[in-house]
Amino acid sequence: YLQTKCLGRKVKYFRSIDSTNIRARELAEKGEPAGTTVISEEQTGGKGHIGRKWYSNPYQGILMSVILRPGTAMAALPQITEKVCTAAAEAIRTFTGNTEFRAPDHILINGRKAGGVLVEAAGETDRTDYIIAGIGINVNQELSDFPEEVRNQSTSLRIEKNIKISRQQLAADILNKMEFIFGDGSQV
């Protein structure tokens, strides 16, 4: 399914991990190239915007982080977040027929949260060393899989379409759309 030149061409896969963003940051610090993607079946310490917890049941969602090295200023992070959200929302739309994103980082289907994006960076004010684009998508969860405290505002693609979705195909489609939005790979 992957049609990229850069994003997702090098994958670090885990069955369980604390956080894909944490591992991607460690790899970026060690010099892993742009496009390296960390994917896990489960996160034990997943995080969302403003330090909120991201819940993930094993083998049901997409939990991935991508190393980007565009060399942009830190001030560009909101635009990077918007581009990643746009790519994820467009990929989800091919499966559900509808989706939207709400600033700064929420991916919604019918007004309920189906995913999120967490973008983190390291570097100086005028130039990033790297950016980590973390993406979490609820794909094949049933409503009962969500903790009670988030059940009313959460959904998954399976809940919305009443069919099981290929996580591999959706993950590849997100990366394909991200690379298209960011350019041919030379800007990531």
Side-chain angles (χ1 to χ4, degrees):
Y1 304 116
L2 196 61
Q3 301 170 0
T4 61
K5 293 180 182 176
C6 177
L7 300 183
R9 288 294 162 187
K10 186 171 187 180
V11 173
K12 303 288 186 173
Y13 170 82
F14 300 89
R15 287 180 192 238
S16 183
I17 195 172
D18 52 353
S19 163
T20 58
N21 266 31
I22 290 171
R23 188 58 54 95
R25 179 182 289 271
E26 291 169 355
L27 293 168
E29 288 287 337
K30 292 178 182 175
E32 285 291 332
T36 300
T37 303
V38 176
I39 297 176
S40 186
E41 299 293 354
E42 174 186 41
Q43 289 186 127
T44 58
K47 56 185 178 173
H49 188 67
I50 316 174
R52 293 186 180 118
K53 181 171 174 47
W54 179 262
Y55 298 98
S56 61
N57 297 327
Y59 303 96
Q60 292 183 330
I62 292 175
L63 308 165
M64 70 178 174
S65 297
V66 182
I67 298 172
L68 306 174
R69 295 187 182 272
T72 60
M74 288 288 190
L77 289 182
Q79 290 82 19
I80 300 284
T81 301
E82 184 175 329
K83 287 179 178 183
V84 175
C85 274
T86 298
E90 287 180 6
I92 291 169
R93 192 173 294 121
T94 64
F95 289 90
T96 65
N98 62 347
T99 189
E100 61 183 283
F101 70 90
R102 183 180 69 207
D105 64 352
H106 295 63
I107 299 167
L108 307 174
I109 302 173
N110 296 322
R112 297 172 75 184
K113 191 165 182 179
V117 169
L118 179 62
V119 173
E120 301 175 307
E124 303 297 323
T125 303
D126 61 340
R127 183 174 169 82
T128 56
D129 292 333
Y130 60 82
I131 295 171
I132 306 300
I135 303 161
I137 308 293
N138 300 328
V139 182
N140 288 316
Q141 292 91 335
E142 298 287 350
L143 193 57
S144 61
D145 291 323
F146 294 106
E148 187 68 40
E149 62 266 24
V150 298
R151 201 170 284 167
N152 289 336
Q153 63 258 25
S154 299
T155 192
S156 72
L157 280 67
R158 184 176 189 163
I159 291 169
E160 296 299 322
K161 294 305 288 182
N162 201 28
I163 58 170
K164 192 168 183 178
I165 304 290
S166 166
R167 293 180 306 128
Q168 294 84 0
Q169 185 176 352
L170 180 57
D173 201 25
I174 291 169
L175 293 170
N176 292 338
K177 291 188 184 318
M178 275 180 66
E179 190 164 289
F180 178 78
I181 289 170
F182 280 102
D184 64 0
S186 63
Q187 297 179 28
V188 295

